[in-house]
Amino acid sequence: MAGMSVRVLVVDDDALVRAGLTLMLDGAGDVVVVGEAGDGADVAPALDAHPTDVVLMDLRMPRVNGIDATRRVRARAQPPEMIVLTTFDTDENVLRALRAGASGFLLKDAPPAEIVRAVRRVAAGEPMLSPAITRRLMDRVATEAGAHERARAVLAALSVREREVAVAVGQGKTNAEIAAGLHVSVATVKAHITRILTKLGLGNRTQIALLAHDAGLI
């Protein structure tokens, strides 16, 4: 994304929220809102009309909710990255959205600088995971029956180094931080992450993090 603006689609059924996010993001300089949608049902046409790097997706919408819309977007060829917008304390569907393929989540009342930073990070392929909030969220709703055993069985397909990288991703570390911790290059870390996604049939880093958490590795 170096030298380019990050193209964002804002999806929320509240017109005031959309207007506020658009005004704030457009003021960042290197971020541009290319479109808006008021419901999950309107996301596909918006993406067809506007090349998009990042979607800011509300969860609660009247016709197609953010979880179903996220699944639909992730099924597209070359899907954009997705960040879920949530009130957190009242919405227990956030984890489902992350499992559906969202790259991270933001609180709707997050400071503008945090939202802009998250959009930039996700567009650059980095996780948008706040360790403290993510752990609280995962611990709140994560453990379905048998999830621990299933996750460990899936991760058994990875090499020792790939498991180390998966754990580091789950800890919210950037590629540079993982590279420094494992004494390898950033390019090597990226290659490991690509192999992990391919081996496990996952869509993004957030799903790696959720799997590592379910396996009890974090």
Side-chain angles (χ1 to χ4, degrees):
M1 298 303 299
M4 299 174 59
S5 292
V6 180
R7 300 164 297 187
V8 178
L9 174 67
V10 176
V11 184
D12 197 292
D13 62 339
D14 188 325
L16 288 177
V17 171
R18 294 199 307 272
L21 287 169
T22 297
L23 182 64
M24 179 263 294
L25 291 169
D26 280 344
D30 59 344
V31 179
V32 58
V33 175
V34 295
E36 298 180 13
D39 190 88
D42 303 323
V43 173
L47 291 176
D48 290 338
H50 307 288
T52 301
D53 302 306
V54 177
V55 177
L56 285 181
M57 179 78 76
D58 187 21
L59 281 187
R60 295 184 173 183
M61 293 178 286
R63 289 182 293 158
V64 176
N65 63 48
I67 296 170
D68 291 337
T70 295
R71 290 195 185 99
R72 295 179 186 182
V73 172
R74 294 304 304 177
R76 295 171 66 95
Q78 297 183 327
E81 299 295 338
M82 305 188 66
I83 299 176
V84 170
L85 294 170
T86 177
T87 54
F88 182 70
D89 285 330
T90 60
D91 205 327
E92 294 189 352
N93 288 322
V94 178
L95 186 65
R96 291 175 58 202
L98 296 179
R99 292 192 190 284
S103 303
F105 64 92
L106 283 171
L107 302 182
K108 284 191 175 182
D109 60 355
E114 181 178 335
I115 296 176
V116 172
R117 183 167 57 251
V119 167
R120 288 171 177 154
R121 282 191 63 174
V122 166
E126 296 287 358
M128 211 303 293
L129 297 172
S130 166
I133 296 178
T134 301
R135 180 172 295 280
R136 181 179 164 196
L137 172 65
M138 290 177 173
D139 289 345
R140 180 177 175 181
V141 284
T143 35
E144 311 143 352
H148 183 78
E149 291 75 15
R150 288 197 302 272
R152 283 189 170 271
V154 171
L155 289 173
L158 302 181
S159 68
V160 173
R161 178 46 60 91
E162 288 166 350
R163 283 169 62 92
E164 291 175 339
V165 172
V167 170
V169 169
Q171 293 169 335
K173 294 181 179 179
T174 65
N175 288 342
E177 290 169 340
I178 297 171
L182 297 179
H183 306 290
V184 297
S185 69
V186 170
T188 298
V189 172
K190 290 181 178 179
H192 282 310
I193 291 173
T194 297
R195 284 196 293 271
I196 292 169
L197 293 173
T198 301
K199 279 186 177 182
L200 304 186
L202 301 177
N204 58 38
R205 297 168 68 112
T206 303
Q207 291 177 326
I208 296 175
L210 293 171
L211 194 61
H213 174 272
D214 286 350
L217 300 179
I218 300 172

